[in-house]
Amino acid sequence: MKVETAPFVSGQLYSFTAPHPDRKDLNQDSIGYIEFSQDVGLLLLADGIGGHRGGDKASRLIIRSIISSLRNLKKSSLIQKAPMAMLKANEKVRKLNIGAGSTLTSCLIIDGVATIFSTGDSRAYIYSSAGNLKFKTLDLSVEGLAAAAGVSSNENALYYYVGDQTLSFMTYGPIELNPQDSILLCSDGIHGNISDDEISEIIKSTKENTNKGELLLQQVKSNFHNPDDHSFL
């Protein structure tokens, strides 16, 4: 498996998804994206909940459902319709009737402005070209919310996720983007094995024709102390 590259919204997109190294036949992570135009795009990442049945089905269904709901809409209606698309995906996951659930993090880019929707503990980051961390989502888990409150917890159960009876999610934005900013969406198989500072060093790499997606993957695998399905865009 290798990092895929593609032009995306006046920039370059690096994407990768792979299963847990000991479970090569089942990947509970799913990724997707839509480029509506040179100035409008949507990034999506979902991570099926490991303790729930059908996490792989849930994450794939969420990505397909949201893309289907939004792909033919006009730019002016995307921000309003994106939460509705998430609610529709939540209903579809619940209709599987297998107790499935998944995280979801999405980034909608419109004319240089980002809006991020997130539930669960998959993350979105925004870094400047100098490697400065401008933004990071909050993990909606016991451990994540405890850390935000300044206390410690080793419990990583999710408070909110797609597939719950009532969908709850965070909306962040509008976030002004500079042309050289980098956006990273990733599952916990990535952010659980690399620090924010290590991501910063990769962002700052200025070597010509550097594949920063490959650098990120190499760094994660060099210190894969929390092996899991691992995906990013």
Side-chain angles (χ1 to χ4, degrees):
M1 296 181 181
K2 65 178 184 177
V3 175
E4 300 290 337
T5 62
F8 182 77
V9 188
S10 302
Q12 189 74 14
L13 173 68
Y14 302 103
S15 61
F16 179 84
T17 183
H20 188 296
D22 296 331
R23 194 182 61 240
K24 296 181 179 180
D25 60 337
L26 179 64
N27 186 358
Q28 294 193 330
D29 289 358
S30 296
I31 58 177
Y33 65 93
I34 313 171
E35 185 178 42
F36 298 91
S37 69
Q38 191 174 3
D39 300 309
V40 183
L42 175 69
L43 302 170
L44 296 159
L45 183 143
D47 176 3
I49 300 173
H52 292 218
R53 292 176 54 203
D56 57 324
K57 293 180 181 179
S59 67
R60 290 196 303 268
L61 178 58
I62 290 163
I63 301 300
R64 289 198 306 264
S65 176
I66 293 176
I67 287 176
S68 176
S69 294
L70 299 180
R71 72 182 321 150
N72 295 318
L73 296 183
K74 295 181 179 178
K75 175 173 69 174
S76 59
S77 63
L78 284 171
I79 291 179
Q80 178 185 3
K81 296 294 186 180
M84 298 179 187
M86 292 175 64
L87 290 169
K88 185 175 181 180
N90 192 71
E91 292 174 4
K92 289 184 177 181
V93 171
R94 289 189 58 77
K95 286 181 179 178
L96 291 174
N97 290 321
I98 55 174
S102 175
T103 72
L104 173 65
T105 298
S106 63
C107 180
L108 181 61
I109 304 162
I110 301 177
D111 298 333
V113 177
T115 304
I116 293 169
F117 305 94
S118 184
T119 188
D121 63 356
S122 295
R123 290 183 186 170
Y125 300 81
I126 300 176
Y127 283 87
S128 72
S129 60
N132 297 317
L133 179 60
K134 297 174 60 175
F135 169 82
K136 181 172 74 173
T137 51
L138 175 67
D139 293 350
L140 298 181
S141 63
V142 174
E143 184 178 12
L145 296 179
V151 297
S152 62
S153 172
N154 293 322
E155 186 177 354
N156 63 357
L158 299 181
Y159 270 122
Y160 306 114
Y161 55 91
V162 182
D164 202 359
Q165 184 172 356
T166 301
L167 178 63
S168 298
F169 58 90
M170 297 286 288
T171 302
Y172 306 88
I175 304 168
E176 295 284 343
L177 300 173
N178 292 321
Q180 300 302 315
D181 284 350
S182 294
I183 299 170
L184 171 65
L185 272 60
C186 62
S187 62
D188 58 353
I190 297 292
H191 68 71
N193 291 289
I194 191 170
S195 69
D196 296 355
D197 289 341
E198 287 172 323
I199 298 172
S200 174
E201 290 301 314
I202 293 168
I203 297 297
K204 287 191 290 186
S205 175
T206 57
K207 292 182 180 179
E208 190 174 356
N209 298 322
T210 297
N211 185 322
K212 295 183 180 180
E214 287 287 359
L215 293 180
L216 176 66
L217 184 60
Q218 290 169 13
Q219 182 63 41
V220 167
K221 288 189 172 182
S222 71
N223 190 30
F224 213 30
H225 56 273
N226 291 312
D228 198 353
D229 302 338
H230 45 297
S231 306
F232 65 81
L233 304 114

